[in-house]
Amino acid sequence: MLKRLKNNKGDAEPLFFICGIVLALILLWFALDIINLTWSRYTIRREAQTMSRLYALDWVSAVWDPDCHSSTMSACEYPNFEASKLHGDFIRITESAISNARLSDMNIMITDNEDATLADCDTQLLCIRATPGATTVRAASASILKTRLNYGTDLYITVEATAPYRYIGDTLGIRDPVYTVKNKFASERFSKDDMRGGH
Amino acid sequence: MKFMDKLKNNKAMITLNRVISYFILVIVLFFGIDICLFLTQSVVTSYQTAYYAEKISIQGGLLGRENILPGPINSQKTCNSCYTNSDISKTFGQTMENFGLTPYDWSIALIDSDGAKTWVHRNGTTVNPNQKLRFDYMSVNEIAITTKFTPKVSGFLWRGANISKQITFVSEYIER
């Protein structure tokens, strides 16, 4: 073929042309991957924002039932975190993010310790580990939340998610599918002791 | 006959190859144009979904026909920047018109914390312009928007696809 190219007989032209077409199709397919990746990362960032906002404004719902109107606050306390409103809310947000961003797994940690990593997730204020169809949410005990959280307490959310390419990107192996977001926010609710008179 | 003779004596092969190649090139070009349009519509649908999620989060649900934020008598407030049900259909429809979409080509639904779905726009029209929907403060809800993509120049290759985006939001409106 190289000899033919050198003597300019041109037989290789269609071959190069077809190679060009195949390359163009790969690039188009790759573009689909990029757009999916953009959406996945956008969804992850947005869910991180939604979760931190919900926690900042409503972490007390991990301890007390917001619909309880008993004059005795202890009567409004949830028996455990799994029974709380916040537990259900976080499961819903996580499962929605996994489904909409087509993630293969997602780990979320909320902590008041800036140096904590996801390896410490289980001992922090909130730890969520999720794969499609299986989400576990664990939170620190009510007594810890009551003593460590107050209005203005600095909090950190770390979200680590695996967003695989759907079409061709992973075949090319040009990037790490794990995406990590870390944001700082602050509690906007007072602790129980500062909330005498209702919540 | 001349062409067949050329084929027999192998002189027309390069010409034939070129015709086929250019034909494929045009098809790929058409497909490429539609993929670019598809990607653009996908991105716009994504960001519009996020925008309306934010909007409905702030106004706490659907306001019905009047853009008045709910509350006890004498505490209701007019909110000029809030959207009535028809406003949601109208403004989203205006954006989608840029892609040549008709009101029949997209739908908007809200899903409350109990999983109940309320259609805002479906089958080309605002489903119920009067319907009011209140989301409790700090409740987690979802908005689902679907737009239909129809290929503009490569319809002979594929029939298009639906672009569906769903986003959760937390209602932040406190009724006073």
Side-chain angles (χ1 to χ4, degrees), chain A residues 31-78:
Chain A
L32 282 177
D33 263 342
I34 294 293
I35 213 73
N36 269 307
L37 180 69
T38 308
W39 170 246
S40 295
R41 290 190 169 189
Y42 176 75
T43 304
I44 293 164
R45 292 198 77 86
R46 199 178 187 291
E47 298 304 345
Q49 185 192 350
T50 303
M51 284 186 180
S52 52
R53 188 93 187 115
L54 180 64
Y55 199 81
L57 287 169
D58 207 26
W59 64 264
V60 291
S61 290
V63 182
W64 297 282
D65 180 356
D67 294 324
C68 171
H69 300 293
S70 168
S71 56
T72 314
M73 289 299 283
S74 59
C76 295
E77 205 163 307
Y78 287 116

Side-chain angles (χ1 to χ4, degrees), chain A residues 9 13-14 17 21 28 31-32 35 39 42 46-47 50 53-54 57-58 85 89 92-93 96 100, chain B residues 17-18 21 25 28 39 43 46-47 50 54 111-113 138 140-142 165-168 170 172:
Chain A
K9 283 192 175 174
E13 185 185 312
F17 191 85
I21 299 282
L28 284 174
L32 282 177
I35 213 73
W39 170 246
Y42 176 75
R46 199 178 187 291
E47 298 304 345
T50 303
R53 188 93 187 115
L54 180 64
L57 287 169
D58 207 26
K85 170 190 177 289
D89 285 349
R92 182 150 188 233
I93 294 171
S96 173
N100 291 316
Chain B
N17 282 342
R18 280 191 176 168
S21 299
L25 176 69
V28 170
L39 296 180
V43 168
S46 303
Y47 283 91
E54 210 66 47
I111 303 151
D112 69 15
S113 49
M138 285 292 112
V140 177
N141 312 284
E142 282 180 89
K165 302 293 176 188
Q166 203 160 321
I167 277 185
T168 52
V170 177
E172 294 196 17

